[in-house]
Coordinates of all heavy atoms in Angstrom, one line a residue:
W42 N -20.1 -2.5 -16.0 CA -20.7 -3.7 -15.4 C -22.2 -3.8 -15.9 O -22.6 -4.9 -16.3 CB -20.7 -3.6 -13.9 CG -21.2 -4.8 -13.2 CD1 -22.4 -5.0 -12.7 CD2 -20.5 -6.0 -12.9 NE1 -22.5 -6.2 -12.1 CE2 -21.3 -6.9 -12.2 CE3 -19.1 -6.4 -13.1 CZ2 -20.9 -8.1 -11.7 CZ3 -18.7 -7.7 -12.6 CH2 -19.6 -8.5 -12.0
D43 N -22.9 -2.7 -15.9 CA -24.4 -2.8 -16.2 C -24.6 -3.1 -17.7 O -25.6 -3.7 -18.0 CB -25.0 -1.4 -15.9 CG -25.1 -1.2 -14.4 OD1 -25.0 -2.1 -13.6 OD2 -25.2 0.0 -14.0
A44 N -23.6 -2.8 -18.5 CA -23.6 -3.2 -19.9 C -23.1 -4.6 -20.2 O -23.0 -5.0 -21.4 CB -22.9 -2.2 -20.8
G45 N -22.7 -5.3 -19.1 CA -22.2 -6.7 -19.3 C -20.7 -6.9 -19.3 O -20.3 -8.0 -19.4
E46 N -20.0 -5.8 -19.1 CA -18.5 -6.0 -19.0 C -18.1 -6.6 -17.7 O -18.7 -6.3 -16.7 CB -17.8 -4.7 -19.2 CG -17.9 -4.2 -20.7 CD -17.1 -3.0 -21.0 OE1 -16.8 -2.1 -20.1 OE2 -16.7 -2.8 -22.2
R47 N -17.1 -7.5 -17.7 CA -16.7 -8.2 -16.6 C -15.2 -8.1 -16.4 O -14.5 -9.1 -16.1 CB -17.2 -9.7 -16.7 CG -18.7 -9.9 -16.7 CD -19.3 -9.5 -15.3 NE -20.7 -9.6 -15.2 CZ -21.6 -8.6 -15.4 NH1 -21.2 -7.4 -15.7 NH2 -22.9 -8.8 -15.2
G48 N -14.7 -6.9 -16.5 CA -13.2 -6.7 -16.3 C -12.6 -6.2 -17.6 O -13.2 -6.4 -18.7
L49 N -11.5 -5.6 -17.4 CA -10.8 -4.9 -18.5 C -9.4 -5.5 -18.8 O -8.8 -5.2 -19.9 CB -10.6 -3.4 -18.2 CG -11.8 -2.6 -18.0 CD1 -11.5 -1.2 -17.5 CD2 -12.7 -2.5 -19.2
A50 N -8.9 -6.4 -18.0 CA -7.5 -6.8 -18.1 C -7.1 -7.4 -19.4 O -6.0 -7.2 -19.9 CB -7.2 -7.7 -16.9
C51 N -8.0 -8.1 -20.0 CA -7.6 -8.8 -21.3 C -8.1 -8.1 -22.5 O -7.9 -8.6 -23.6 CB -8.2 -10.3 -21.3 SG -10.0 -10.4 -21.8
L52 N -8.6 -6.9 -22.4 CA -9.2 -6.1 -23.5 C -8.2 -5.2 -24.2 O -7.8 -4.2 -23.6 CB -10.4 -5.3 -23.1 CG -11.5 -6.1 -22.3 CD1 -12.7 -5.2 -22.1 CD2 -12.0 -7.3 -23.1
P53 N -7.7 -5.6 -25.4 CA -6.8 -4.7 -26.1 C -7.5 -3.3 -26.4 O -8.7 -3.3 -26.7 CB -6.5 -5.4 -27.4 CG -6.9 -6.9 -27.1 CD -8.0 -6.8 -26.1
G54 N -6.7 -2.3 -26.2 CA -7.2 -0.9 -26.5 C -7.8 -0.2 -25.3 O -8.2 0.9 -25.4
R55 N -8.0 -0.9 -24.2 CA -8.6 -0.3 -23.0 C -7.6 -0.1 -21.9 O -8.0 0.0 -20.7 CB -9.7 -1.2 -22.5 CG -10.8 -1.5 -23.5 CD -11.8 -0.4 -23.7 NE -12.6 -0.1 -22.5 CZ -13.7 -0.8 -22.2 NH1 -14.2 -1.8 -23.0 NH2 -14.4 -0.5 -21.1
E56 N -6.3 -0.1 -22.2 CA -5.2 -0.1 -21.2 C -5.3 1.2 -20.4 O -5.1 1.1 -19.1 CB -3.9 -0.2 -21.9 CG -3.5 -1.5 -22.4 CD -4.1 -1.8 -23.8 OE1 -4.8 -0.9 -24.4 OE2 -3.8 -2.8 -24.4
A57 N -5.6 2.3 -21.0 CA -5.7 3.6 -20.2 C -6.8 3.5 -19.1 O -6.6 3.9 -18.0 CB -5.9 4.8 -21.1
E58 N -7.9 3.0 -19.5 CA -9.0 2.9 -18.6 C -8.7 1.9 -17.5 O -9.0 2.1 -16.3 CB -10.3 2.4 -19.3 CG -11.5 2.4 -18.5 CD -12.8 2.0 -19.2 OE1 -12.7 1.9 -20.5 OE2 -13.8 1.7 -18.6
F59 N -8.0 0.8 -17.9 CA -7.6 -0.2 -16.9 C -6.7 0.5 -15.8 O -6.8 0.3 -14.6 CB -6.8 -1.3 -17.6 CG -6.3 -2.4 -16.6 CD1 -7.1 -3.4 -16.1 CD2 -4.9 -2.3 -16.2 CE1 -6.6 -4.3 -15.2 CE2 -4.4 -3.2 -15.3 CZ -5.2 -4.2 -14.8
R60 N -5.7 1.3 -16.3 CA -4.7 1.9 -15.4 C -5.4 2.9 -14.4 O -5.1 3.0 -13.2 CB -3.6 2.6 -16.2 CG -2.7 1.5 -16.8 CD -1.6 2.2 -17.6 NE -0.7 1.1 -18.1 CZ 0.6 1.3 -18.3 NH1 1.2 2.5 -18.0 NH2 1.4 0.3 -18.7
E61 N -6.4 3.6 -15.0 CA -7.2 4.5 -14.1 C -7.9 3.8 -13.0 O -8.0 4.2 -11.9 CB -8.2 5.3 -15.0 CG -7.6 6.4 -15.8 CD -8.6 7.0 -16.8 OE1 -9.8 6.7 -16.6 OE2 -8.2 7.7 -17.7
G62 N -8.5 2.6 -13.4 CA -9.2 1.8 -12.5 C -8.3 1.2 -11.4 O -8.7 1.2 -10.2
I63 N -7.1 0.8 -11.7 CA -6.1 0.3 -10.8 C -5.8 1.4 -9.8 O -5.7 1.2 -8.5 CB -4.9 -0.3 -11.4 CG1 -5.3 -1.5 -12.2 CG2 -3.8 -0.6 -10.4 CD1 -5.8 -2.7 -11.4
A64 N -5.5 2.6 -10.2 CA -5.2 3.7 -9.3 C -6.4 4.0 -8.3 O -6.1 4.2 -7.1 CB -5.0 5.0 -10.2
K65 N -7.6 3.9 -8.8 CA -8.7 4.1 -8.0 C -8.9 3.0 -7.0 O -9.1 3.2 -5.8 CB -10.0 4.2 -8.8 CG -11.3 4.6 -8.1 CD -12.4 4.8 -9.0 CE -13.6 5.4 -8.4 NZ -14.7 5.6 -9.3
A66 N -8.6 1.7 -7.4 CA -8.7 0.6 -6.5 C -7.7 0.7 -5.4 O -8.0 0.4 -4.2 CB -8.6 -0.7 -7.3
I67 N -6.5 1.0 -5.7 CA -5.4 1.1 -4.7 C -5.7 2.3 -3.7 O -5.5 2.1 -2.5 CB -4.0 1.4 -5.4 CG1 -3.6 0.1 -6.2 CG2 -3.0 1.8 -4.4 CD1 -2.4 0.2 -7.0
E68 N -6.3 3.3 -4.2 CA -6.7 4.4 -3.3 C -7.7 3.9 -2.3 O -7.6 4.2 -1.1 CB -7.3 5.6 -4.2 CG -7.7 6.8 -3.5 CD -8.3 7.8 -4.4 OE1 -7.7 8.1 -5.5 OE2 -9.4 8.4 -4.1
Y69 N -8.7 3.2 -2.8 CA -9.7 2.6 -1.8 C -9.1 1.6 -0.9 O -9.4 1.5 0.3 CB -10.9 2.0 -2.6 CG -12.0 2.9 -2.9 CD1 -12.0 3.8 -3.9 CD2 -13.1 2.9 -2.1 CE1 -13.1 4.7 -4.1 CE2 -14.2 3.7 -2.3 CZ -14.2 4.6 -3.3 OH -15.2 5.5 -3.5
A70 N -8.2 0.8 -1.5 CA -7.6 -0.3 -0.6 C -6.8 0.3 0.5 O -6.8 -0.2 1.6 CB -6.7 -1.2 -1.5
Q71 N -6.1 1.4 0.2 CA -5.3 2.1 1.3 C -6.2 2.6 2.3 O -6.0 2.5 3.5 CB -4.5 3.2 0.7 CG -3.3 2.7 -0.1 CD -2.5 3.8 -0.7 OE1 -2.8 4.4 -1.8 NE2 -1.4 4.2 0.0
A72 N -7.3 3.3 1.9 CA -8.3 3.9 2.8 C -8.9 2.8 3.7 O -9.3 3.1 4.9 CB -9.3 4.7 2.1
L73 N -9.2 1.6 3.1 CA -9.9 0.6 3.9 C -8.9 -0.4 4.5 O -9.4 -1.4 5.1 CB -10.9 -0.1 2.9 CG -11.9 0.8 2.2 CD1 -12.7 0.0 1.2 CD2 -12.8 1.5 3.2
Q74 N -7.6 -0.2 4.3 CA -6.6 -1.1 4.8 C -6.9 -2.5 4.3 O -6.8 -3.5 5.1 CB -6.6 -1.1 6.4 CG -6.2 0.3 6.9 CD -6.1 0.3 8.4 OE1 -6.0 -0.7 9.1 NE2 -6.2 1.5 9.0
C75 N -7.2 -2.6 3.0 CA -7.5 -3.9 2.4 C -6.3 -4.4 1.7 O -5.7 -3.7 0.8 CB -8.7 -3.7 1.4 SG -9.2 -5.2 0.6
P76 N -5.9 -5.6 2.0 CA -4.6 -6.1 1.4 C -4.7 -6.8 0.1 O -3.7 -7.3 -0.5 CB -4.1 -7.1 2.5 CG -5.4 -7.6 3.1 CD -6.4 -6.5 3.0

């Protein structure tokens, strides 16, 4: 984010990082009961 990136979903070649991010987001969503 600090370097100006605004998401990974459309970026070819960044799929592994995207998947790691989704796992982290779901972990937080479960802990915060965020739907």
Side-chain angles (χ1 to χ4, degrees):
W42 183 267
D43 292 337
E46 291 189 329
R47 293 295 180 264
L49 300 172
C51 81
L52 304 186
R55 302 283 292 277
E56 289 85 355
E58 186 181 348
F59 176 84
R60 290 183 174 209
E61 288 172 12
I63 292 300
K65 189 174 188 179
I67 290 172
E68 184 182 312
Y69 267 81
Q71 289 181 274
L73 303 178
Q74 299 180 21
C75 180

